[in-house]
Amino acid sequence: MADPRGFLKVRQRETQPRRPVPVRIMDWKEVYEAQEKGVLKSQAGRCMDCGVPFCHQGCPLGNLIPEWNDLVWRDKGEEAIERLHATNNFPEWTGRLCPAPCEASCVLGINQPAVTIKQVEVSIIDQAFDNDWVQPLPPTRLTGKTVAVVGSGPAGLAVAQQLTRVGHTVAVYERDDKIGGLLRYGIPDFKMEKEQVDRRLEQMKAEGTRFRTGVAVGTDVTWEQLRRRYDAVVVATGATVPRDLPIPGRDLDGVHFAMDYLVPANRVVAGETPENHIDARGKHVVILGGGDTGADCIGTAHRHQAASVTTLAIGKQPPSERAAHQPWPTFPTLFEMASAHEEGGERTYLASTVEFVGENGKLTGVKVAETEFVDGKRLPKAGTERIIPADLVFLSLGFTGAEPAGITEQVSAEFDGRGNVARDGYYMTNTEGVFVAGDAGRGQSLIVWAIAEGRACAAAVDKFLMGSTILPAPVAPTDRAIAVL
């Protein structure tokens, strides 16, 4: 196991260096620089011979983390990417975008800073692409079975790649003009440049996966038509219905959902000229919500050279250390400093938004008050109201579920009480042959969960079509492992 005394020799945790703020906010390139090979090796060597690697439990994919840490320490990069790809179809995405629950459950993290698992992961796949170790894996035979996957985010693409590789003919339907879902148009390039999506798609095309862009299932083609045309259909449309804030002034010009800002901004970076592009240059920007999407808005506004950027969160500021009710190896809620937060702006907690203020139909400010807790509810405290100047407000309050898009009417698939497409323990809806994976079925979640569900759903579809499967199934919809499919 790497260096058995590595965690004693190297106690300091070193992550990827970030480019200087004044430099990186002038472009849209990724903020991280490559880590020196010697530093990376020593960090991988901190992975200890812990006996029971709880990082496996922390990762929904069940990544073989100690194994590829050992291989990186031994300079065996080609073997390391084989171990990584054994459980993760797209480590270049998780290595950049996942919040790393594996690190929260690292055994070393009990009394030292955890191993830089995410850093080692992304270095393995980047080295693999640089050395042409990532090659297409087409099936040796075709089964004659066909599958339609609706949605081209990480869940849908994981389903498609797994099913293609065992010989099914898979077509991925995407309503946008390019494949990738929110990976392409929701995630800014400073977090992940789109080359990371494009080169993986080239691999999938070479393996035989087919892509149908610009097709809105439910209108351009119905779900029932897909059912008749294919042996199985997978719903992987994500949880894209944004949570609104119905307070006075919501209809003012200048109040937008976060994705109405991020998607056109990403298209502009890609060289397109979208309609309704929102430019924050010289404007006072207020962002409601302190999650990853809110941070994406912050970084985008900085690159647009906004006059000011303020983030408002209704709750308390999370602690910087584990709370007693979130002990190791659980994934704790901690105060985080994302790259976008380093670039400037103000973060305010315990701020309840009371009203959007405007003149002549245009937004001019946001009335906020301190948050107080009454009978477990978060309410604005009377007498503490103030107005924050604002030309633009972006609502980054999460998502409430999947878009119906004719699913219920056309194939009688049901939705649960949380706005998700209902499914059984094997990812199938109440309509035989129609499956659901990712955020569409579990609600808004992490990219690593999307890929894990995609892989498990593919195993369930394969068994439905063939009677048995050799595909691994890392997770069930109940978050418990499927022992036998």
Side-chain angles (χ1 to χ4, degrees):
M1 173 49 56
D3 181 354
R5 296 182 178 272
F7 70 99
L8 298 174
K9 297 175 183 176
V10 183
R11 291 179 174 269
Q12 184 177 358
R13 172 186 166 96
E14 293 187 45
T15 56
Q16 280 177 292
R18 294 169 177 169
R19 294 191 292 137
V21 170
V23 175
R24 71 189 194 220
I25 63 172
M26 300 303 293
D27 60 43
W28 295 88
K29 297 184 182 298
E30 290 184 17
V31 303
Y32 286 99
E33 297 176 335
Q35 194 170 52
E36 293 182 7
K37 186 175 181 180
V39 175
L40 180 70
K41 180 177 179 178
S42 66
Q43 290 297 303
R46 294 181 69 236
C47 185
M48 58 193 292
D49 188 5
C50 56
V52 179
F54 275 78
C55 54
H56 287 189
Q57 173 269 336
C59 176
L61 284 162
N63 280 336
L64 306 174
I65 295 164
E67 295 186 26
W68 39 257
N69 275 334
D70 174 49
L71 291 166
V72 168
W73 185 77
R74 298 177 187 278
D75 290 327
K76 296 184 177 181
E78 197 164 3
E79 292 182 36
I81 190 57
E82 289 180 4
R83 295 292 199 285
L84 185 50
H85 271 152
T87 56
N88 187 352
N89 298 67
F90 314 120
E92 66 275 24
W93 304 344
T94 53
R96 287 172 168 83
L97 304 175
C98 180
C102 53
E103 294 184 10
S105 58
C106 172
V107 173
L108 185 59
I110 295 174
N111 63 354
Q112 284 191 36
V115 175
T116 57
I117 298 171
K118 180 177 173 180
Q119 163 71 34
V120 177
E121 177 184 15
V122 76
S123 71
I124 292 171
I125 183 58
D126 286 349
Q127 182 187 26
F129 273 120
D130 290 343
N131 288 278
D132 293 326
W133 295 337
V134 181
Q135 295 296 322
L137 298 174
T140 56
R141 63 178 180 82
L142 295 178
T143 64
K145 301 293 186 180
T146 59
V147 181
V149 177
V150 183
S152 66
L157 293 179
V159 171
Q161 186 167 64
Q162 292 292 93
L163 291 176
T164 296
R165 286 177 172 179
V166 293
H168 304 309
T169 300
V170 182
V172 178
Y173 286 81
E174 170 57 56
R175 64 183 176 184
D176 282 328
D177 57 331
K178 293 182 180 179
I179 295 294
L182 291 183
L183 286 171
R184 182 174 298 280
Y185 290 128
I187 303 295
D189 280 40
F190 60 80
K191 287 180 65 175
M192 188 180 75
E193 295 180 38
K194 300 309 174 278
E195 174 194 14
Q196 306 300 336
V197 178
D198 293 334
R199 59 186 180 182
R200 185 62 73 172
L201 293 178
E202 289 302 315
Q203 180 200 35
M204 293 182 66
K205 291 175 183 177
E207 291 171 347
T209 301
R210 305 174 183 184
F211 296 102
R212 307 282 186 263
T213 58
V215 180
V217 177
T219 54
D220 295 339
V221 60
T222 68
W223 292 94
E224 182 57 37
Q225 286 174 323
L226 289 185
R227 280 195 69 207
R228 292 197 299 266
R229 187 180 305 175
Y230 295 90
D231 297 305
V233 176
V234 179
V235 181
T237 54
T240 56
V241 179
R243 180 173 284 106
D244 207 344
L245 185 62
I247 61 174
R250 173 62 182 88
D251 58 347
L252 289 171
D253 182 15
V255 183
H256 307 273
F257 289 118
M259 285 302 162
D260 292 339
Y261 177 51
L262 293 175
V263 171
N266 279 323
R267 288 184 176 276
V268 170
V269 174
E272 303 176 26
T273 54
E275 297 181 0
N276 303 320
H277 169 53
I278 303 168
D279 192 344
R281 181 183 297 271
K283 296 181 179 180
H284 298 287
V285 175
V286 174
I287 299 161
L288 304 186
D292 287 341
T293 303
D296 294 344
C297 291
I298 295 171
T300 301
H302 288 320
R303 283 157 181 77
H304 284 170
Q305 300 180 20
S308 68
V309 182
T310 302
T311 302
L312 303 179
I314 192 173
K316 299 177 181 179
Q317 178 175 320
S320 56
E321 301 289 340
R322 280 185 183 273
H325 67 282
Q326 294 178 327
W328 179 90
T330 61
F331 188 41
T333 301
L334 299 175
F335 179 74
E336 297 181 349
M337 181 66 73
S339 64
H341 298 132
E342 292 180 340
E343 296 164 1
E346 180 180 346
R347 301 170 77 179
T348 302
Y349 290 87
L350 290 176
S352 294
T353 305
V354 177
E355 180 182 356
F356 299 121
V357 181
E359 295 179 359
N360 301 319
K362 290 186 176 294
L363 178 76
T364 60
V366 180
K367 181 184 287 187
V368 299
E370 294 180 14
T371 302
E372 64 176 350
F373 294 82
V374 179
D375 296 329
K377 297 181 180 180
R378 298 178 296 190
L379 300 173
K381 185 177 180 180
T384 63
E385 295 86 357
R386 62 189 177 97
I387 294 179
I388 300 174
D391 303 302
L392 290 170
V393 167
F394 299 125
L395 304 180
S396 177
L397 306 173
F399 300 85
T400 61
E403 296 180 30
I407 295 175
T408 301
E409 298 83 0
Q410 296 172 12
V411 291
S412 301
E414 298 176 352
F415 281 72
D416 63 24
R418 298 185 299 131
N420 306 317
V421 183
R423 56 194 182 172
D424 63 16
Y426 296 94
Y427 295 88
M428 190 184 292
T429 68
N430 59 298
T431 300
E432 186 177 15
V434 178
F435 298 78
V436 59
D439 288 3
R442 71 179 286 116
Q444 182 188 10
S445 189
L446 307 179
I447 184 173
V448 67
W449 272 112
I451 297 173
E453 286 216 357
R455 289 171 63 88
C457 180
V461 173
D462 189 36
K463 185 187 178 188
F464 169 77
L465 295 175
M466 307 300 293
S468 63
T469 184
I470 60 172
L471 290 173
V475 294
T478 57
D479 298 354
R480 294 189 299 270
I482 298 176
V484 179
L485 273 172

